[in-house]
Amino acid sequence: MSIPPAAEAASNRPGVAAQAARRRTFAIISHPDAGKTTLTENLLLAGGAIRAAGAVRARGENRRTRSDWMKIERERGISVSASVMTFDHDGLMFNLLDTPGHEDFSEDTYRTLTAADAAVMVLDAAKGIEPQTLKLFEVCRMRDIPIVTFINKMDREAQDPFELLDEIASKLALDPAPLYWPAGSGGRFKGMLDLRRQQFLPFAKKGGGPAHDEDGHPDAIAFKGNAVVSYLEPDEHEELAENAELVTEAAKPFDPQSFLEGHMTPVFFGSALRHFGVAQLLEGIGAYAPPPKPVAARRGGDETHVAPGDREVSGFVFKVQANMDPNHRDRIAFLKLCSGRFARGMKLKVQNTGKQLSVNAPVMFFASDRELAEDAYAGDVIGIPNHGVLRVGDSLSESGTLRFAGLPNFAPEILQRVRVKDPLKAKHLKKALESLAEEGVTQLFRPNMGSDFIVGAVGQLQFEVMADRLREEYQLDVIFEASPFAEARWLTADRADLEDFTGKHRTAMATDIDEQPVFLGKSAWEVNYVTERFPKVRFERAKERA
Ligand code: G4P
């Protein structure tokens, strides 16, 4: 389905590389309550993807009434599922990946971040860097994802912005480069100065608000001109001018290269709730966040790099979501495209299984609704409905020979035994557990002795979500109870060493859904003990699917 260069030129269609270059695929990271949902909504509003704030939630509600497996999400007021929203704005195609805010879903977030080319870190101006922000930041750093900072809730009493910058520098070892500077905060928040253009952006107390379609804030005006007196008292003007001078001297100037290398973060200020500073943030993402980069991969036994402009279509699955619509038992695999021009109906091969699938009904998630994707390019995320063929970490390409580095599974932090109340449904339970484990959010271990299933997760909330989903989607009432195990480790060793170890620890051995051997330890101490006693066996905390 790839278009020959001549035809491409004839149809005046921008080339594959040029299309990829206009993609901005990013995620928002924050501590719960810092304003991620509000900012998401207002970015979509600023990008023209939705017309009124409140639409993201309304859409969420709609989805939930169609498929109410998100009851817990609703009851707890947390966002459990990660999704993607796409919008075209200012000549660029933005793909906003939504990440769950709750730390029990950090593995899901981690995987989503593997698909992001940049991240927006939202800080609550009164709280600065909070524990979950720090954790997510570390994931971004591990993956060299450049970070844009948005200091939110300036309409509330905030910390001194200089202190906030110091915190970014000291806690994250990142050079903050403010592009704007706020005038006051809370009741005294008057707006902000665009440090590059020397323009003042007034904040109207009555502007914004959830019910407003327009931002309602006055237009930017020259900071040095006379008009500014209508917005700033003389002492406020003086203070802002002084602070701007100070910060311009003290902070390193914004260097796009340093940002791309992960050493510097451009800092924006605003109030997501009041629609203030969000358009500037979006402009900044468009201007500075990178388009998709070449990705390291293997073809056959050889290492290679897949460039976004390459002709062959390729990508990897970073998330699988089952039963978005329980009436259809559908399962959507989210594929981040790494190269080529994907066209609907195209055949792609899964690298590790060699299976070929015709992608006839790919979905792109535009903010307003799901739509069929006719074509897509590197950076885009398409949803591929399937019946269990695709798994998290799968690499897809036209030739089927490309393999991107796998997405790791981490050793779970809590292991629980699961039982179904009606023993006649044990077989049914096995299928349901496997299907949920294939989404990659929870892990399933089948002990070699006995008939129990052990489910592993990062946090308690995942068990609750799982119980709820088993009831809603599979009509299975289950009980999770304490298991004797506290730690899981994947084992790798020569066959003889593995058999020796397994023979001596029969009651602690299990297999995961890929039939790989797993040691279930009763404590961290026991894991250390066996690790020392069996030096030829490797006890891995993370597993990459082969
Ligand atoms: P999260 O997704 O990061 O968890 O945060 P969310 O957007 O849900 O925001 C958390 C709370 O902070 C919400 O208030 C939201 O309205 C408020 N908020 C977000 N941005 C701003 C801002 O710029 N200024 C002010 N003043 N508040 C902001 P809530 O009362 O918990 O919820 P709701 O009843 O308003 O929905």
Side-chain angles (χ1 to χ4, degrees), residues 30-39 57 152-156 270-274:
S30 74
H31 190 85
D33 258 7
K36 183 159 68 71
T37 313
T38 313
L39 181 63
R57 280 194 191 151
N152 189 30
K153 304 199 187 180
M154 289 306 299
D155 59 317
R156 288 210 188 143
S271 163
L273 187 68
R274 300 274 155 217

Side-chain angles (χ1 to χ4, degrees), residues 72-150:
I72 292 200
E73 177 174 290
R74 212 170 33 203
E75 280 161 16
R76 299 251 183 171
I78 55 166
S79 154
V80 173
S81 62
S83 54
V84 54
M85 281 181 260
T86 298
F87 57 98
D88 204 334
H89 174 68
D90 236 2
L92 297 171
M93 189 72 115
F94 292 86
N95 294 306
L96 171 48
L97 305 170
D98 188 17
T99 52
H102 197 285
E103 61 181 320
D104 283 5
F105 294 88
S106 49
E107 191 160 346
D108 206 10
T109 301
Y110 178 88
R111 300 231 181 91
T112 299
L113 287 174
T114 61
D117 297 315
V120 173
M121 173 171 75
V122 184
L123 303 182
D124 180 326
K127 297 187 175 153
I129 291 161
E130 298 176 84
Q132 188 68 359
T133 336
L134 192 60
K135 263 197 195 170
L136 292 166
F137 167 78
E138 277 159 7
V139 173
C140 291
R141 172 153 281 174
M142 257 159 61
R143 300 213 51 256
D144 294 330
I145 300 175
I147 299 202
V148 175
T149 302
F150 183 73

Side-chain angles (χ1 to χ4, degrees), residues 15 44 127 141 211 237 426 443 471 522:
L44 296 174
K127 297 187 175 153
R141 172 153 281 174
H237 188 276
Q443 296 181 44
R471 189 165 43 247
K522 293 195 177 62

Side-chain angles (χ1 to χ4, degrees), residues 213-275:
D213 289 3
E214 302 292 331
D215 66 17
H217 302 288
D219 290 340
I221 46 170
F223 186 51
K224 295 236 161 71
N226 294 332
V228 85
V229 295
S230 4
Y231 300 106
L232 292 173
E233 299 294 330
D235 59 328
E236 290 170 334
H237 188 276
E238 195 180 325
E239 191 185 343
L240 180 57
E242 267 174 30
N243 285 342
E245 203 181 311
L246 198 62
V247 75
T248 310
E249 274 169 23
K252 288 188 187 164
F254 178 63
D255 170 7
Q257 193 54 31
S258 180
F259 159 67
L260 293 179
E261 288 166 4
H263 306 307
M264 181 172 269
T265 177
V267 180
F268 294 80
F269 293 85
S271 163
L273 187 68
R274 300 274 155 217
H275 309 185

